[in-house]
Structure formats: structure tokens, C-alpha cells
Amino acid sequence: MVRFIDRMFPKESPLDLMILHGEKIEEAVRFLKPAFDKFFEGEPPTDYSEKVDKLEKEADNIKYRIREVYSKLKYTYFEKSDIFIIVHEMDKIIDTIDDILKLLLMNRIEKFDDIKEPLGELVKNTALTVEEMVDALRELKLVVESDFAPKEVEKEKVEAEEVEKEETRTDINTVTLGKHLFSKKYEINPVDLIFFMELSKLLSKIANYAENVVERINLIIR
């Protein structure tokens, strides 16, 4: 009887765990701006890298709890594979944030005044994309709790559109930054040029992963 009840009513809600997982990622992405600020001041953002390492471990623990809960559930609102795909894409986000911070620890730049603004805009839009993604996760829970009420489903679609808009802005920022960097190719150290291009690619990937999450959410609520 206990096992049957556990399968019907798990002690931890999978959707609540997914939201918690997303909130860890949201917290991590908000460290990007101060980390870049510190980098541009000539100091390694070691403290932010350590904080993200900690959040990454916490997110991994939540991921395992999600898998454990879903392995026991008899009935679910969504296919397990869909949920695992969403969690996997979110994992990619926090892994990429960690990669960015590790990259900032490896290099020091002296001339960056005209790079700071377009790069800062890219960081800002990347963070907004992730924040909108987490809002979409919260809305998904409301969709389920409302028994897929059309009103809540529509709200979820609006959240997805916001993520897509931010992802598009991020793409535009990435191209703008890339053009700017290549226009300085005779002025910037080639290694630094590659360094900044790699940072811009990683930031763009974060937005792409966030968009993948909301696209999967849209698929499972239709």
C-alpha cells in the first residue's frame, strides 16, 4: 500500500523540483554580470566561479531527485523523456555558465573599453532569457494545477514567446559583438580576439538552451 501511495502521491513534486532546478540556474546566471564587471576591473572573478560551482552541485542533486521521483511514479502528466530532456537542457545552461566563469579566470585583457558595452549587453540579454525560461517553468505548474485550462495554456505560450524574443535579441547582440571584434582584428591580440569570440559563443548557447526548454514545454502542453 505504501509503495502504491508513493507512486500516486510522491513526497516531492516533480514540477516543484524542476522549478527549484531552474531557480538554481537563474541564481547562477545572475552572477555573470558582476563576474564580468570584476574581470573588466582587472580582477579574476574567483568568488563567483566558486559560487556557481556550488550551485551546479545543488542543481545536480535536484536532477537526481527528479529522476528518482519519476522512476517511482505510476501516472504522470507528461512523458518522462520530455521531462528529462528539459532538465538536460537546463543542465547545459549551468554547465555553460561555469565554462564562462572558468574562461574569465584564464585571461587578463588590457584594452577592452570599446568591447565592454556590447559584451555587457549580450550578458544582460542572456540573463533575461534564462529568467524568462524559469517563469515558463512556473507557469507550467499553473497549467497542470488548472487541469490545462485554456487561459493558463495561453499564458504559457506568451512566456515562450518572451523567451524567443530574448533569444533573438541575444543572436543580434552576438552578431553585433562579432562584427565589432573583427573590425578590431588588427588592433586586438589574436588570442584575445579568439577569447572574446568564445565568450560570445558560450553566452549565445545559453540563450539557445533556454529556448530549447520552452519549446519542449510548448510541445508537451499542446
Side-chain angles (χ1 to χ4, degrees):
M1 178 63 73
V2 174
R3 288 191 63 190
F4 176 76
I5 291 174
D6 285 344
R7 285 176 175 236
M8 293 294 293
F9 306 103
K11 293 176 183 176
E12 291 187 295
S13 160
L15 287 178
D16 283 340
L17 287 172
M18 279 177 58
I19 292 168
L20 183 60
H21 189 277
E23 287 171 346
K24 296 296 178 183
I25 295 166
E26 186 176 30
E27 189 176 348
V29 83
R30 286 175 178 166
F31 288 138
L32 285 178
K33 184 184 182 303
F36 271 93
D37 288 343
K38 202 166 187 179
F39 170 79
F40 283 126
E41 289 167 5
E43 296 181 34
T46 307
D47 50 344
Y48 293 110
S49 180
E50 290 172 351
K51 288 176 181 178
V52 169
D53 280 339
K54 182 181 176 184
L55 286 169
E56 193 174 14
K57 290 174 184 174
E58 291 173 2
D60 279 342
N61 178 262
I62 295 167
K63 175 180 66 178
Y64 296 136
R65 283 157 62 191
I66 292 171
R67 287 178 177 169
E68 186 178 356
V69 169
Y70 262 97
S71 69
K72 295 177 180 178
L73 282 177
K74 188 172 182 64
Y75 300 107
T76 61
Y77 283 102
F78 314 114
E79 292 290 336
K80 295 176 185 178
S81 59
D82 287 323
I83 299 303
F84 293 156
I85 287 170
I86 289 173
V87 173
H88 182 60
E89 289 298 311
M90 290 198 291
D91 262 350
K92 289 181 184 178
I93 294 174
I94 198 163
D95 288 345
T96 306
I97 294 169
D98 183 55
D99 290 342
I100 289 170
L101 291 176
K102 294 294 191 297
L103 198 55
L104 291 178
L105 296 176
M106 295 178 190
N107 196 12
R108 291 188 67 180
I109 307 294
E110 293 181 2
K111 296 180 180 179
F112 52 72
D113 289 343
D114 54 350
I115 297 172
K116 185 176 180 180
E117 184 176 344
L119 186 57
E121 193 66 21
L122 179 56
V123 170
K124 176 179 142 185
N125 283 338
T126 298
L128 283 173
T129 306
V130 174
E131 289 168 10
E132 293 287 355
M133 178 201 76
V134 178
D135 284 343
L137 287 171
R138 296 188 184 106
E139 184 57 40
L140 177 61
K141 182 184 177 184
L142 295 177
V143 169
V144 170
E145 289 176 344
S146 72
D147 197 21
F148 292 78
K151 180 181 177 182
E152 295 301 335
V153 171
E154 190 59 36
K155 285 182 183 177
E156 183 63 89
K157 290 178 181 177
V158 170
E159 289 293 349
E161 288 172 4
E162 287 302 317
V163 173
E164 288 172 4
K165 287 177 186 176
E166 290 301 338
E167 195 275 336
T168 300
R169 290 190 190 103
T170 303
D171 281 345
I172 293 169
N173 290 148
T174 303
V175 172
T176 300
L177 177 60
K179 286 181 177 179
H180 181 72
L181 288 169
F182 280 117
S183 73
K184 302 285 183 180
K185 61 186 175 183
Y186 298 114
E187 303 170 36
I188 302 176
N189 182 305
V191 173
D192 292 339
L193 177 63
I194 294 170
F195 171 76
F196 280 119
M197 288 301 297
E198 183 62 21
L199 284 173
S200 67
K201 282 165 56 181
L202 290 172
L203 287 163
S204 182
K205 280 184 178 181
I206 289 174
N208 287 334
Y209 296 143
E211 185 180 34
N212 290 345
V213 168
V214 296
E215 283 179 352
R216 179 59 60 168
I217 290 173
N218 260 344
L219 284 173
I220 66 179
I221 65 173
R222 285 177 183 174

mmCIF file of all heavy atoms in Angstrom, residues 15-52:
data_model
loop_
_atom_site.group_PDB
_atom_site.id
_atom_site.type_symbol
_atom_site.label_atom_id
_atom_site.label_comp_id
_atom_site.label_asym_id
_atom_site.label_seq_id
_atom_site.Cartn_x
_atom_site.Cartn_y
_atom_site.Cartn_z
ATOM 1 N N LEU A 15 7.360 18.752 -10.578
ATOM 2 C CA LEU A 15 7.333 20.108 -11.138
ATOM 3 C C LEU A 15 7.969 21.108 -10.180
ATOM 4 O O LEU A 15 8.684 22.023 -10.610
ATOM 5 C CB LEU A 15 5.894 20.518 -11.454
ATOM 6 C CG LEU A 15 5.270 19.836 -12.680
ATOM 7 C CD1 LEU A 15 3.829 20.290 -12.862
ATOM 8 C CD2 LEU A 15 6.070 20.116 -13.935
ATOM 9 N N ASP A 16 7.717 20.928 -8.883
ATOM 10 C CA ASP A 16 8.362 21.808 -7.901
ATOM 11 C C ASP A 16 9.880 21.648 -7.955
ATOM 12 O O ASP A 16 10.626 22.626 -7.850
ATOM 13 C CB ASP A 16 7.865 21.491 -6.485
ATOM 14 C CG ASP A 16 6.479 22.049 -6.215
ATOM 15 O OD1 ASP A 16 6.070 22.980 -6.943
ATOM 16 O OD2 ASP A 16 5.804 21.562 -5.292
ATOM 17 N N LEU A 17 10.336 20.414 -8.131
ATOM 18 C CA LEU A 17 11.767 20.153 -8.225
ATOM 19 C C LEU A 17 12.350 20.771 -9.498
ATOM 20 O O LEU A 17 13.463 21.311 -9.489
ATOM 21 C CB LEU A 17 12.046 18.647 -8.196
ATOM 22 C CG LEU A 17 11.858 17.958 -6.846
ATOM 23 C CD1 LEU A 17 11.970 16.438 -7.005
ATOM 24 C CD2 LEU A 17 12.875 18.452 -5.819
ATOM 25 N N MET A 18 11.597 20.705 -10.595
ATOM 26 C CA MET A 18 12.055 21.322 -11.839
ATOM 27 C C MET A 18 12.193 22.831 -11.685
ATOM 28 O O MET A 18 13.155 23.434 -12.168
ATOM 29 C CB MET A 18 11.091 21.000 -12.976
ATOM 30 C CG MET A 18 11.288 19.636 -13.600
ATOM 31 S SD MET A 18 10.059 19.314 -14.887
ATOM 32 C CE MET A 18 10.348 20.670 -16.001
ATOM 33 N N ILE A 19 11.218 23.427 -11.013
ATOM 34 C CA ILE A 19 11.278 24.878 -10.776
ATOM 35 C C ILE A 19 12.485 25.211 -9.900
ATOM 36 O O ILE A 19 13.213 26.175 -10.164
ATOM 37 C CB ILE A 19 9.975 25.383 -10.125
ATOM 38 C CG1 ILE A 19 8.811 25.266 -11.113
ATOM 39 C CG2 ILE A 19 10.120 26.827 -9.644
ATOM 40 C CD1 ILE A 19 7.436 25.458 -10.500
ATOM 41 N N LEU A 20 12.705 24.407 -8.853
ATOM 42 C CA LEU A 20 13.854 24.618 -7.969
ATOM 43 C C LEU A 20 15.160 24.491 -8.753
ATOM 44 O O LEU A 20 16.085 25.287 -8.562
ATOM 45 C CB LEU A 20 13.818 23.598 -6.832
ATOM 46 C CG LEU A 20 14.913 23.720 -5.758
ATOM 47 C CD1 LEU A 20 14.851 25.088 -5.079
ATOM 48 C CD2 LEU A 20 14.763 22.604 -4.718
ATOM 49 N N HIS A 21 15.213 23.521 -9.640
ATOM 50 C CA HIS A 21 16.378 23.338 -10.501
ATOM 51 C C HIS A 21 16.600 24.586 -11.356
ATOM 52 O O HIS A 21 17.729 25.097 -11.482
ATOM 53 C CB HIS A 21 16.158 22.108 -11.390
ATOM 54 C CG HIS A 21 17.347 21.671 -12.178
ATOM 55 N ND1 HIS A 21 17.690 22.246 -13.382
ATOM 56 C CD2 HIS A 21 18.277 20.719 -11.939
ATOM 57 C CE1 HIS A 21 18.778 21.655 -13.856
ATOM 58 N NE2 HIS A 21 19.150 20.722 -12.996
ATOM 59 N N GLY A 22 15.492 25.093 -11.916
ATOM 60 C CA GLY A 22 15.585 26.304 -12.728
ATOM 61 C C GLY A 22 16.019 27.514 -11.922
ATOM 62 O O GLY A 22 16.770 28.364 -12.418
ATOM 63 N N GLU A 23 15.571 27.594 -10.681
ATOM 64 C CA GLU A 23 15.929 28.738 -9.833
ATOM 65 C C GLU A 23 17.418 28.736 -9.492
ATOM 66 O O GLU A 23 18.029 29.806 -9.331
ATOM 67 C CB GLU A 23 15.077 28.734 -8.569
ATOM 68 C CG GLU A 23 13.634 29.152 -8.848
ATOM 69 C CD GLU A 23 12.706 28.961 -7.675
ATOM 70 O OE1 GLU A 23 13.085 28.257 -6.696
ATOM 71 O OE2 GLU A 23 11.582 29.510 -7.718
ATOM 72 N N LYS A 24 18.008 27.553 -9.360
ATOM 73 C CA LYS A 24 19.460 27.473 -9.144
ATOM 74 C C LYS A 24 20.204 28.029 -10.357
ATOM 75 O O LYS A 24 21.208 28.736 -10.222
ATOM 76 C CB LYS A 24 19.888 26.026 -8.900
ATOM 77 C CG LYS A 24 19.315 25.393 -7.641
ATOM 78 C CD LYS A 24 19.797 26.094 -6.387
ATOM 79 C CE LYS A 24 19.174 25.484 -5.135
ATOM 80 N NZ LYS A 24 19.578 26.186 -3.898
ATOM 81 N N ILE A 25 19.689 27.715 -11.541
ATOM 82 C CA ILE A 25 20.301 28.209 -12.778
ATOM 83 C C ILE A 25 20.106 29.716 -12.891
ATOM 84 O O ILE A 25 21.018 30.446 -13.290
ATOM 85 C CB ILE A 25 19.692 27.484 -13.991
ATOM 86 C CG1 ILE A 25 20.047 25.997 -13.941
ATOM 87 C CG2 ILE A 25 20.168 28.099 -15.301
ATOM 88 C CD1 ILE A 25 19.247 25.136 -14.870
ATOM 89 N N GLU A 26 18.919 30.181 -12.516
ATOM 90 C CA GLU A 26 18.635 31.617 -12.544
ATOM 91 C C GLU A 26 19.581 32.366 -11.610
ATOM 92 O O GLU A 26 20.098 33.444 -11.952
ATOM 93 C CB GLU A 26 17.181 31.856 -12.131
ATOM 94 C CG GLU A 26 16.719 33.291 -12.249
ATOM 95 C CD GLU A 26 15.243 33.433 -11.920
ATOM 96 O OE1 GLU A 26 14.718 32.633 -11.098
ATOM 97 O OE2 GLU A 26 14.609 34.339 -12.467
ATOM 98 N N GLU A 27 19.822 31.803 -10.447
ATOM 99 C CA GLU A 27 20.753 32.416 -9.496
ATOM 100 C C GLU A 27 22.156 32.457 -10.089
ATOM 101 O O GLU A 27 22.872 33.457 -9.963
ATOM 102 C CB GLU A 27 20.761 31.618 -8.191
ATOM 103 C CG GLU A 27 21.522 32.268 -7.060
ATOM 104 C CD GLU A 27 21.427 31.500 -5.760
ATOM 105 O OE1 GLU A 27 20.591 30.575 -5.650
ATOM 106 O OE2 GLU A 27 22.211 31.825 -4.841
ATOM 107 N N ALA A 28 22.541 31.380 -10.762
ATOM 108 C CA ALA A 28 23.881 31.306 -11.356
ATOM 109 C C ALA A 28 24.059 32.328 -12.474
ATOM 110 O O ALA A 28 25.103 32.994 -12.557
ATOM 111 C CB ALA A 28 24.142 29.899 -11.885
ATOM 112 N N VAL A 29 23.049 32.471 -13.335
ATOM 113 C CA VAL A 29 23.193 33.375 -14.478
ATOM 114 C C VAL A 29 23.290 34.827 -14.021
ATOM 115 O O VAL A 29 23.898 35.663 -14.691
ATOM 116 C CB VAL A 29 22.031 33.177 -15.490
ATOM 117 C CG1 VAL A 29 20.781 33.943 -15.083
ATOM 118 C CG2 VAL A 29 22.463 33.587 -16.895
ATOM 119 N N ARG A 30 22.718 35.126 -12.855
ATOM 120 C CA ARG A 30 22.789 36.498 -12.329
ATOM 121 C C ARG A 30 24.187 36.850 -11.821
ATOM 122 O O ARG A 30 24.477 38.023 -11.555
ATOM 123 C CB ARG A 30 21.751 36.682 -11.225
ATOM 124 C CG ARG A 30 20.335 36.781 -11.771
ATOM 125 C CD ARG A 30 19.292 36.841 -10.686
ATOM 126 N NE ARG A 30 17.950 36.993 -11.238
ATOM 127 C CZ ARG A 30 16.837 36.815 -10.558
ATOM 128 N NH1 ARG A 30 16.885 36.481 -9.289
ATOM 129 N NH2 ARG A 30 15.666 36.971 -11.144
ATOM 130 N N PHE A 31 25.051 35.842 -11.677
ATOM 131 C CA PHE A 31 26.432 36.109 -11.285
ATOM 132 C C PHE A 31 27.291 36.541 -12.467
ATOM 133 O O PHE A 31 28.420 37.014 -12.284
ATOM 134 C CB PHE A 31 27.067 34.868 -10.640
ATOM 135 C CG PHE A 31 26.554 34.563 -9.256
ATOM 136 C CD1 PHE A 31 26.270 33.259 -8.883
ATOM 137 C CD2 PHE A 31 26.370 35.573 -8.332
ATOM 138 C CE1 PHE A 31 25.803 32.967 -7.610
ATOM 139 C CE2 PHE A 31 25.895 35.298 -7.056
ATOM 140 C CZ PHE A 31 25.616 33.989 -6.692
ATOM 141 N N LEU A 32 26.771 36.375 -13.681
ATOM 142 C CA LEU A 32 27.576 36.706 -14.859
ATOM 143 C C LEU A 32 27.947 38.190 -14.914
ATOM 144 O O LEU A 32 29.100 38.535 -15.155
ATOM 145 C CB LEU A 32 26.845 36.299 -16.145
ATOM 146 C CG LEU A 32 26.822 34.806 -16.481
ATOM 147 C CD1 LEU A 32 26.019 34.564 -17.750
ATOM 148 C CD2 LEU A 32 28.241 34.265 -16.641
ATOM 149 N N LYS A 33 26.957 39.059 -14.701
ATOM 150 C CA LYS A 33 27.237 40.492 -14.799
ATOM 151 C C LYS A 33 28.309 40.945 -13.800
ATOM 152 O O LYS A 33 29.302 41.570 -14.193
ATOM 153 C CB LYS A 33 25.966 41.318 -14.619
ATOM 154 C CG LYS A 33 26.218 42.819 -14.819
ATOM 155 C CD LYS A 33 24.985 43.642 -14.556
ATOM 156 C CE LYS A 33 25.261 45.118 -14.817
ATOM 157 N NZ LYS A 33 26.384 45.661 -14.007
ATOM 158 N N PRO A 34 28.132 40.656 -12.489
ATOM 159 C CA PRO A 34 29.193 41.081 -11.564
ATOM 160 C C PRO A 34 30.527 40.400 -11.839
ATOM 161 O O PRO A 34 31.591 40.987 -11.585
ATOM 162 C CB PRO A 34 28.644 40.699 -10.184
ATOM 163 C CG PRO A 34 27.564 39.708 -10.424
ATOM 164 C CD PRO A 34 26.993 40.051 -11.765
ATOM 165 N N ALA A 35 30.488 39.179 -12.364
ATOM 166 C CA ALA A 35 31.744 38.488 -12.694
ATOM 167 C C ALA A 35 32.460 39.197 -13.833
ATOM 168 O O ALA A 35 33.681 39.407 -13.785
ATOM 169 C CB ALA A 35 31.460 37.038 -13.072
ATOM 170 N N PHE A 36 31.716 39.605 -14.858
ATOM 171 C CA PHE A 36 32.316 40.344 -15.971
ATOM 172 C C PHE A 36 32.797 41.708 -15.505
ATOM 173 O O PHE A 36 33.846 42.191 -15.939
ATOM 174 C CB PHE A 36 31.315 40.492 -17.123
ATOM 175 C CG PHE A 36 31.363 39.361 -18.113
ATOM 176 C CD1 PHE A 36 30.520 38.272 -17.982
ATOM 177 C CD2 PHE A 36 32.257 39.384 -19.177
ATOM 178 C CE1 PHE A 36 30.561 37.218 -18.892
ATOM 179 C CE2 PHE A 36 32.310 38.346 -20.096
ATOM 180 C CZ PHE A 36 31.461 37.251 -19.953
ATOM 181 N N ASP A 37 32.023 42.358 -14.622
ATOM 182 C CA ASP A 37 32.444 43.657 -14.076
ATOM 183 C C ASP A 37 33.794 43.524 -13.382
ATOM 184 O O ASP A 37 34.688 44.365 -13.547
ATOM 185 C CB ASP A 37 31.404 44.197 -13.089
ATOM 186 C CG ASP A 37 30.136 44.664 -13.783
ATOM 187 O OD1 ASP A 37 30.175 44.872 -15.012
ATOM 188 O OD2 ASP A 37 29.104 44.816 -13.095
ATOM 189 N N LYS A 38 33.927 42.484 -12.604
ATOM 190 C CA LYS A 38 35.180 42.246 -11.885
ATOM 191 C C LYS A 38 36.319 41.975 -12.865
ATOM 192 O O LYS A 38 37.442 42.466 -12.698
ATOM 193 C CB LYS A 38 35.004 41.060 -10.931
ATOM 194 C CG LYS A 38 35.993 41.029 -9.787
ATOM 195 C CD LYS A 38 35.544 40.051 -8.714
ATOM 196 C CE LYS A 38 36.457 40.149 -7.500
ATOM 197 N NZ LYS A 38 36.037 39.235 -6.423
ATOM 198 N N PHE A 39 36.026 41.190 -13.891
ATOM 199 C CA PHE A 39 37.024 40.881 -14.920
ATOM 200 C C PHE A 39 37.511 42.158 -15.594
ATOM 201 O O PHE A 39 38.718 42.346 -15.805
ATOM 202 C CB PHE A 39 36.406 39.934 -15.958
ATOM 203 C CG PHE A 39 37.252 39.729 -17.174
ATOM 204 C CD1 PHE A 39 38.331 38.855 -17.145
ATOM 205 C CD2 PHE A 39 36.973 40.413 -18.349
ATOM 206 C CE1 PHE A 39 39.129 38.675 -18.276
ATOM 207 C CE2 PHE A 39 37.751 40.235 -19.474
ATOM 208 C CZ PHE A 39 38.835 39.361 -19.440
ATOM 209 N N PHE A 40 36.577 43.057 -15.933
ATOM 210 C CA PHE A 40 36.949 44.301 -16.606
ATOM 211 C C PHE A 40 37.693 45.256 -15.678
ATOM 212 O O PHE A 40 38.344 46.185 -16.137
ATOM 213 C CB PHE A 40 35.708 44.980 -17.190
ATOM 214 C CG PHE A 40 35.214 44.333 -18.462
ATOM 215 C CD1 PHE A 40 33.899 43.922 -18.583
ATOM 216 C CD2 PHE A 40 36.072 44.137 -19.530
ATOM 217 C CE1 PHE A 40 33.449 43.322 -19.748
ATOM 218 C CE2 PHE A 40 35.638 43.541 -20.708
ATOM 219 C CZ PHE A 40 34.321 43.132 -20.822
ATOM 220 N N GLU A 41 37.577 45.025 -14.384
ATOM 221 C CA GLU A 41 38.347 45.817 -13.419
ATOM 222 C C GLU A 41 39.743 45.240 -13.204
ATOM 223 O O GLU A 41 40.530 45.764 -12.414
ATOM 224 C CB GLU A 41 37.602 45.868 -12.083
ATOM 225 C CG GLU A 41 36.338 46.738 -12.135
ATOM 226 C CD GLU A 41 35.449 46.526 -10.922
ATOM 227 O OE1 GLU A 41 35.858 45.767 -9.997
ATOM 228 O OE2 GLU A 41 34.351 47.103 -10.894
ATOM 229 N N GLY A 42 40.027 44.141 -13.886
ATOM 230 C CA GLY A 42 41.359 43.535 -13.813
ATOM 231 C C GLY A 42 41.520 42.501 -12.715
ATOM 232 O O GLY A 42 42.642 42.082 -12.414
ATOM 233 N N GLU A 43 40.384 42.083 -12.123
ATOM 234 C CA GLU A 43 40.443 41.075 -11.051
ATOM 235 C C GLU A 43 39.772 39.783 -11.494
ATOM 236 O O GLU A 43 38.719 39.815 -12.138
ATOM 237 C CB GLU A 43 39.731 41.599 -9.797
ATOM 238 C CG GLU A 43 40.390 42.825 -9.174
ATOM 239 C CD GLU A 43 39.641 43.265 -7.929
ATOM 240 O OE1 GLU A 43 39.111 42.384 -7.213
ATOM 241 O OE2 GLU A 43 39.576 44.477 -7.693
ATOM 242 N N PRO A 44 40.344 38.643 -11.158
ATOM 243 C CA PRO A 44 39.708 37.370 -11.522
ATOM 244 C C PRO A 44 38.438 37.149 -10.691
ATOM 245 O O PRO A 44 38.459 37.332 -9.467
ATOM 246 C CB PRO A 44 40.775 36.323 -11.190
ATOM 247 C CG PRO A 44 41.633 36.973 -10.145
ATOM 248 C CD PRO A 44 41.633 38.451 -10.465
ATOM 249 N N PRO A 45 37.336 36.764 -11.324
ATOM 250 C CA PRO A 45 36.071 36.553 -10.587
ATOM 251 C C PRO A 45 36.028 35.185 -9.902
ATOM 252 O O PRO A 45 35.069 34.426 -10.069
ATOM 253 C CB PRO A 45 35.018 36.675 -11.692
ATOM 254 C CG PRO A 45 35.715 36.180 -12.908
ATOM 255 C CD PRO A 45 37.157 36.587 -12.775
ATOM 256 N N THR A 46 37.046 34.901 -9.115
ATOM 257 C CA THR A 46 37.160 33.592 -8.470
ATOM 258 C C THR A 46 35.976 33.301 -7.565
ATOM 259 O O THR A 46 35.457 32.167 -7.534
ATOM 260 C CB THR A 46 38.463 33.513 -7.644
ATOM 261 O OG1 THR A 46 39.560 33.879 -8.482
ATOM 262 C CG2 THR A 46 38.687 32.110 -7.106
ATOM 263 N N ASP A 47 35.535 34.316 -6.807
ATOM 264 C CA ASP A 47 34.440 34.102 -5.859
ATOM 265 C C ASP A 47 33.151 33.701 -6.568
ATOM 266 O O ASP A 47 32.422 32.810 -6.102
ATOM 267 C CB ASP A 47 34.212 35.347 -4.994
ATOM 268 C CG ASP A 47 34.092 36.626 -5.813
ATOM 269 O OD1 ASP A 47 34.468 36.616 -7.003
ATOM 270 O OD2 ASP A 47 33.627 37.644 -5.262
ATOM 271 N N TYR A 48 32.878 34.321 -7.724
ATOM 272 C CA TYR A 48 31.661 33.982 -8.466
ATOM 273 C C TYR A 48 31.765 32.591 -9.089
ATOM 274 O O TYR A 48 30.769 31.867 -9.167
ATOM 275 C CB TYR A 48 31.380 35.039 -9.535
ATOM 276 C CG TYR A 48 31.011 36.371 -8.936
ATOM 277 C CD1 TYR A 48 31.868 37.460 -9.022
ATOM 278 C CD2 TYR A 48 29.807 36.532 -8.250
ATOM 279 C CE1 TYR A 48 31.538 38.679 -8.457
ATOM 280 C CE2 TYR A 48 29.461 37.746 -7.679
ATOM 281 C CZ TYR A 48 30.335 38.815 -7.783
ATOM 282 O OH TYR A 48 30.009 40.015 -7.206
ATOM 283 N N SER A 49 32.966 32.239 -9.517
ATOM 284 C CA SER A 49 33.178 30.891 -10.062
ATOM 285 C C SER A 49 32.906 29.838 -8.994
ATOM 286 O O SER A 49 32.269 28.805 -9.258
ATOM 287 C CB SER A 49 34.611 30.754 -10.581
ATOM 288 O OG SER A 49 34.842 29.468 -11.103
ATOM 289 N N GLU A 50 33.346 30.102 -7.778
ATOM 290 C CA GLU A 50 33.126 29.159 -6.677
ATOM 291 C C GLU A 50 31.641 29.062 -6.325
ATOM 292 O O GLU A 50 31.127 27.979 -6.015
ATOM 293 C CB GLU A 50 33.935 29.600 -5.456
ATOM 294 C CG GLU A 50 35.446 29.418 -5.650
ATOM 295 C CD GLU A 50 36.262 30.036 -4.530
ATOM 296 O OE1 GLU A 50 35.674 30.766 -3.681
ATOM 297 O OE2 GLU A 50 37.486 29.822 -4.500
ATOM 298 N N LYS A 51 30.943 30.203 -6.387
ATOM 299 C CA LYS A 51 29.508 30.195 -6.091
ATOM 300 C C LYS A 51 28.737 29.378 -7.126
ATOM 301 O O LYS A 51 27.806 28.639 -6.792
ATOM 302 C CB LYS A 51 28.973 31.634 -6.054
ATOM 303 C CG LYS A 51 29.424 32.427 -4.833
ATOM 304 C CD LYS A 51 28.953 33.866 -4.914
ATOM 305 C CE LYS A 51 29.439 34.660 -3.695
ATOM 306 N NZ LYS A 51 29.034 36.085 -3.771
ATOM 307 N N VAL A 52 29.128 29.516 -8.390
ATOM 308 C CA VAL A 52 28.457 28.757 -9.447
ATOM 309 C C VAL A 52 28.778 27.269 -9.325
ATOM 310 O O VAL A 52 27.914 26.413 -9.569
ATOM 311 C CB VAL A 52 28.840 29.304 -10.841
ATOM 312 C CG1 VAL A 52 28.368 28.353 -11.946
ATOM 313 C CG2 VAL A 52 28.234 30.681 -11.048
#
